[in-house]
Amino acid sequence: MLATTPLIKQLLHGVTVLDLAGEPLAMTGRMLADMGAEVIKLEPDAGDPLRYANPVSGHAAASMRWLAWHAGKSSLKFDPHDPRLDGLLRGADVLLLTPGLAGTPRVDWDLAPQAVRLIATPFGLHGPRSKWRASDLGLLAAAGNLYATGYPDRPPLRCTEPAAYAHVGAEGAFAVLTALASRRPQVIDLSMQEVLMIASMSGASQFSKTGRRGERQGASLAGTREIWPCKDGYVSFGLRGGPARLHNFRILSERMEQEGLLTPAWAARDWSTFSPWTTDSDTLRCIEAPLAQYFLRHTMTELYQLAVDTTLMLAPANSAAEILRNAQLDARNMFAPQGDIKQFPARFFRVRDNKGTCTATPAPSPAPALHTGAWPNWSPRHADKQGDNRRESAWSGLKLLEFGAGAAGPIACRYFIEQGATVIRVESTQHPDFLRAMAASGPHGIEGSTLFDALNVGKESITLNLKHPRGKQVALQLIQWADAVLENFAPRAMKSYGLDYDSVVPAKPDLIMLSTCLNGQTGPHKDYPGFGGQGAALSGFNFLTGWPDREPIGPFGTITDSLAPRFGASALAAALLYRRRTGHGLHIDLSQVETGVYSLSPWLLEYGMTGHCRTRAGNRDERAAPHGVFPCQGADRWIAIACWSDDDWLHLATILGLDANPYLDLQSRVAAQDDIESAMADSTRDKNAQELAQQLQYAGVEAVPVADFQDLLDSDPQLVFREHFIRMQRAVTGVSIYERNGFRLSAAASGFQQPSPLLGEHTEQILTNTLDYNEAQVAELRESGALN
């Protein structure tokens, strides 16, 4: 059977999953099914609430969200008295659970003692806020991302689609695979708040050094515009300096000169020394003015084609329409027909083996109709007896080799480090990571980047000149040492060094390599450059974040930089389990844009099936009302409140002193949102956010203070309880604060054991201890220039 099964479906062949969870883990089950696990959704008589959530599809009483996140699963009726249930529980490798979420089955998970039980709650299973309610809005508020997204003259802002659940779903998949790697049954305690912390690029842990609480800058960054109107929409383009951006200014200067728009502010400027952070505001306005005129003369399509043709770092703020007709996504088969659905979002990565076998990402099986699955005859599972009493980390002994720069690749490795893996990072003194270079003018020079420090905790650093034959030789030796290689260079880079998968796999047939870049390794736009800002625009997150009367802006932290690493880590973990089972290696091709597109599957399905393209809606949600952010006592203090039922509304109205009677059902509340929100703001304005949240949560209403980065670091009681922040002494820069990821394993140790590395800090140690070079050989390598 496996010989004819697509390779991607073989990764988790034989893994059995019982999905008893609500929306926050719906994507987790879908991801596991995409990779070959058998996933059964247990539903109550009336069906899971997500089946009937807006927007509805007319497809067998299934919503767009149901179609997207339950593809590839089977549906069985949950009956606690059905004798067959015991067999399912004892035959499951994994249980997905969101206890306390309305409409989800309740089971005694101790009836599956042999299973990995992923339990996702808003704030973790224990602690002072463990009983608090929080959905997407409240989670973003609790993690600081909400505070930093939006405009200074309006309330903090969320993405219209539930971005929090995209992060939780992907990290949940990695957590499950990590627990399976440990070969020990256990409980995974996943705090959604902690999962969301990395979406702010560790802004809280950096606060002690940066002093930045988070700042809502709207369509700007560093004092200059980031989102620009064009003829038929908007594009994302950052006026950044530095050598890597000189190309942008050359291209745009040429185009503006052709159209008679070039001004002295552009023509007479030395762009090699330009920085928006050190340029006064009047000069920035003079630079922006002709560029704004140029963009207004052209459509998004024209500007994107220019970017593709010239490798200009510009991206359109794509709507669903642009995404579904994108040539790059089409070439990579991101969408596939599924019955009468013409463009169903397919899997989130491509994979091939050393024989060239490749998955062309066919669409998964359709989402199931209610209670239509056949009861399987699962064999009882038994734990690995050898591991019952061990507490070593789940990925202890795993050796990873990392090439690249920026955020997306390094963050993916960070997940493995916390769970015990050893990661060696290959760097260059001649071309250091641009995250390091951001701090070059500071007191600690290139070692002073707080962002690099936060994202690279626990790694070892070796500097190599990969263009030098002997530098390449050392890299090849490290590839032989490694269990897996992760690289996030542009597609041509590794090939130019002779270190790409095809070049090195003959000498290491069981090699696992993860290649992650903006658009993936294939397709007409594979060489288009970009970072998270471009990824957020191309994948739709910018389009969906903002106020209806203003431009799209995107979530704080350029969301694909924190979202894609979770998908990459999950794919890599599945490949490692596959090799453990089969002995075979794999090459994983992960596009950061595609992970964003996959995360927005319900939105894209809605447009593809109905022609309706939902757009940014501020903080409102069509499934809950009121649903928003309201002012509280103090400067820039806010509370996020969401009413998910009529009872929620009655409790909220009583506590705030509002007249509930005219709005006793969701439809009437949605119709009167302007009036309700105005009355709520008048009531909350003179109240303490913390005290009001406590009062509302006690009454069962979702209410969460909107935390800034200082709040999270200094005074969040739940983060203190979960020991989220770790303090370690780092050479040169002193004490650094690092952040844990979102889950804890009950039968495996985890945590970070050393700070982030200085540039090349471990070069000699790696050469002598890992590769057995002697001192004379190391000296010779250094003298030759191979270690630059």
Side-chain angles (χ1 to χ4, degrees):
M1 181 184 72
L2 283 179
T4 59
T5 301
L7 182 58
I8 198 169
K9 296 288 286 184
Q10 297 180 34
L11 300 186
L12 298 181
H13 174 74
V15 175
T16 54
V17 180
L18 274 186
D19 183 351
L20 299 107
E23 185 176 7
L25 289 184
M27 181 197 287
T28 298
R30 162 74 194 275
M31 290 174 65
L32 297 175
D34 281 352
M35 293 185 286
E38 183 180 1
V39 183
I40 291 178
K41 176 69 178 174
L42 289 180
E43 301 188 67
D45 282 341
D48 187 274
L50 202 60
R51 281 189 178 273
Y52 313 109
N54 284 329
V56 297
S57 70
H59 239 260
S63 70
M64 304 294 180
R65 301 187 191 283
W66 178 266
L67 293 176
W69 301 134
H70 292 283
K73 304 178 187 179
S74 301
S75 170
L76 294 178
K77 180 180 178 180
F78 173 73
D79 179 353
H81 304 294
D82 191 320
R84 295 175 294 181
L85 179 61
D86 182 69
L88 277 185
L89 289 169
R90 295 189 183 281
D93 295 306
V94 179
L95 268 60
L96 305 180
L97 302 153
T98 49
L101 208 61
T104 56
R106 298 181 180 180
V107 299
D108 180 357
W109 53 72
D110 288 334
L111 294 175
Q114 81 295 333
V116 166
R117 289 147 285 176
L118 172 59
I119 305 173
T121 57
F123 296 93
L125 287 174
H126 307 286
R129 291 185 177 174
S130 60
K131 304 302 182 185
W132 275 32
R133 295 178 61 186
S135 62
D136 175 73
L137 178 70
L139 293 169
L140 290 166
N145 194 269
L146 196 75
Y147 181 87
T149 301
Y151 294 83
D153 63 332
R154 290 193 181 179
L157 190 62
R158 73 186 277 259
C159 176
T160 297
E161 277 293 287
Y165 296 157
H167 289 284
V168 169
E171 187 157 330
F174 177 72
V176 165
L177 298 172
T178 295
L180 290 175
S182 76
R183 294 190 174 101
R184 297 189 287 281
Q186 57 194 300
V187 170
I188 307 171
D189 174 5
L190 185 146
S191 158
M192 298 186 220
Q193 178 196 21
E194 281 191 290
V195 168
L196 265 291
M197 295 289 286
I198 197 65
S200 299
M201 292 287 109
S202 296
S205 64
Q206 295 177 71
F207 173 79
S208 63
K209 293 185 177 179
T210 67
R212 301 190 191 105
R213 297 172 54 208
E215 182 182 0
R216 297 190 297 283
Q217 301 184 59
S220 298
L221 186 65
T224 183
R225 180 168 285 276
E226 184 84 4
I227 304 295
W228 307 74
C230 60
K231 199 171 186 178
D232 61 348
Y234 297 88
V235 292
S236 172
F237 176 77
L239 280 168
R240 303 285 185 275
R245 306 279 181 157
L246 288 176
H247 175 73
N248 292 340
F249 296 113
R250 181 180 62 80
I251 294 296
L252 289 170
S253 295
E254 290 174 356
R255 295 307 188 277
M256 287 191 287
E257 184 174 23
Q258 291 171 7
E259 299 190 16
L261 294 173
L262 197 64
T263 65
W266 278 75
R269 187 165 305 284
D270 179 2
W271 292 111
S272 66
T273 62
F274 170 75
S275 169
W277 285 271
T278 58
T279 304
D280 65 86
S281 59
D282 289 342
T283 302
L284 286 175
R285 301 296 85 79
C286 290
I287 294 171
E288 289 177 347
L291 185 59
Q293 292 182 58
Y294 174 74
F295 287 151
L296 283 169
R297 292 184 180 184
H298 297 276
T299 65
M300 287 196 301
T301 300
E302 292 168 348
L303 293 170
Y304 181 50
Q305 190 60 53
L306 172 67
V308 169
D309 292 342
T310 65
T311 64
L312 176 69
M313 285 188 187
L314 173 150
N318 281 338
S319 72
E322 284 86 40
I323 291 171
L324 288 182
R325 62 171 181 255
N326 181 276
Q328 173 70 8
L329 296 174
D330 182 61
R332 286 173 59 83
N333 301 302
M334 181 65 205
F335 302 102
Q338 187 192 86
D340 59 350
I341 302 174
K342 295 181 179 179
Q343 290 179 290
F344 193 93
R347 296 177 180 87
F348 59 91
F349 67 95
R350 295 167 67 89
V351 63
R352 63 190 177 108
D353 59 22
N354 59 12
K355 299 174 184 176
T357 307
C358 181
T359 295
T361 57
S365 304
L370 185 61
H371 305 154
T372 55
W375 282 78
N377 184 24
W378 286 350
S379 300
R381 297 306 204 242
H382 301 286
D384 178 5
K385 299 297 184 183
Q386 182 184 9
D388 286 349
N389 297 316
R390 294 180 297 175
R391 281 285 302 173
E392 71 263 25
S393 300
W395 291 110
S396 179
L398 178 68
K399 298 172 291 187
L400 300 180
L401 183 64
E402 178 188 300
F403 297 87
I411 292 175
C413 277
R414 188 176 182 273
Y415 287 103
F416 288 93
I417 293 170
E418 187 181 17
Q419 304 301 325
T422 297
V423 175
I424 292 178
R425 175 179 172 81
V426 177
E427 301 195 72
S428 168
T429 57
Q430 296 176 331
H431 304 285
D433 189 328
F434 68 88
L435 293 187
R436 285 192 185 272
M438 288 169 57
S441 61
H444 299 298
I446 206 165
E447 303 299 352
S449 170
T450 58
L451 184 54
F452 178 92
D453 182 23
L455 302 186
N456 290 279
V457 56
K459 299 179 183 178
E460 299 175 6
S461 172
I462 182 173
T463 53
L464 295 176
N465 180 356
L466 297 178
K467 294 181 180 180
H468 192 289
R470 299 191 65 182
K472 175 184 173 181
Q473 180 185 15
V474 174
L476 289 171
Q477 290 173 314
L478 286 171
I479 289 173
Q480 288 295 328
W481 162 85
D483 295 305
V485 176
L486 186 150
E487 62 92 5
N488 73 324
F489 284 127
R492 290 180 290 186
M494 289 293 277
K495 189 170 185 178
S496 71
Y497 300 133
L499 298 174
D500 58 303
Y501 179 78
D502 291 328
S503 296
V504 300
V505 75
K508 189 178 175 69
D510 66 345
L511 173 67
I512 291 177
M513 180 180 286
L514 168 62
S515 297
T516 173
C517 63
L518 192 69
N519 271 328
Q521 302 296 304
T522 62
H525 304 167
K526 65 181 177 61
D527 295 319
Y528 165 86
F531 304 105
Q534 288 75 38
L538 289 168
S539 62
F541 277 103
N542 279 18
F543 184 84
L544 286 168
T545 308
W547 301 98
D549 61 334
R550 292 187 181 179
E551 62 268 270
I553 57 174
F556 175 80
T558 58
I559 185 169
T560 54
D561 273 341
S562 53
L563 194 59
R566 293 183 163 105
F567 285 94
S570 297
L572 183 55
L576 289 165
L577 292 177
Y578 170 80
R579 187 177 63 189
R580 177 188 288 179
R581 190 179 79 248
T582 68
H584 298 155
L586 296 168
H587 182 219
I588 301 161
D589 171 7
L590 184 129
S591 156
Q592 294 160 24
V593 170
E594 288 171 9
T595 65
V597 169
Y598 182 94
S599 300
L600 294 173
S601 291
W603 173 61
L604 295 167
L605 279 174
E606 181 183 10
Y607 176 76
M609 295 172 69
T610 70
H612 174 63
C613 182
R614 282 182 299 115
T615 185
R616 50 202 170 276
N619 286 314
R620 291 179 177 176
D621 189 291
E622 56 198 349
R623 296 182 285 167
H627 185 279
V629 178
F630 303 93
C632 284
Q633 189 181 85
D636 206 20
R637 288 297 177 185
W638 308 85
I639 189 169
I641 298 174
C643 285
W644 292 93
S645 70
D646 297 338
D647 284 343
D648 287 353
W649 165 245
L650 290 173
H651 292 309
L652 174 68
T654 298
I655 290 171
L656 294 185
L658 307 178
D659 182 5
N661 290 324
Y663 317 115
L664 294 179
D665 60 79
L666 177 62
Q667 185 176 359
S668 62
R669 291 195 297 277
V670 169
Q673 284 184 103
D674 288 342
D675 292 340
I676 291 174
E677 289 173 1
S678 177
M680 287 178 63
D682 288 341
S683 177
T684 62
R685 202 178 309 276
D686 63 350
K687 293 179 172 60
N688 178 277
Q690 301 288 340
E691 295 172 0
L692 179 58
Q694 288 276 10
Q695 187 179 10
L696 289 170
Q697 286 282 353
Y698 183 78
V701 179
E702 177 184 338
V704 181
V706 178
D708 64 29
F709 298 151
Q710 182 178 13
D711 298 330
L712 295 169
L713 182 61
D714 291 350
S715 58
D716 187 292
Q718 190 66 19
L719 295 178
V720 170
F721 179 86
R722 287 181 65 86
E723 299 180 337
H724 178 78
F725 297 105
I726 299 173
R727 289 166 170 80
M728 285 187 277
Q729 185 75 26
R730 181 174 184 257
V732 178
T733 57
V735 174
S736 285
I737 301 174
Y738 302 102
E739 298 188 38
R740 298 287 303 274
N741 292 308
F743 65 92
R744 310 286 188 271
L745 302 178
S746 65
S750 62
F752 298 114
Q753 304 304 315
Q754 61 187 32
S756 68
L758 306 180
L759 181 61
E761 179 179 356
H762 305 95
T763 298
E764 294 194 12
Q765 172 187 318
I766 292 167
L767 290 170
T768 56
N769 295 348
T770 304
L771 299 182
D772 293 327
Y773 281 72
N774 60 41
E775 291 185 9
Q777 290 171 319
V778 173
E780 186 181 353
L781 282 174
R782 194 173 297 283
E783 182 66 24
S784 72
L787 304 183
N788 292 342

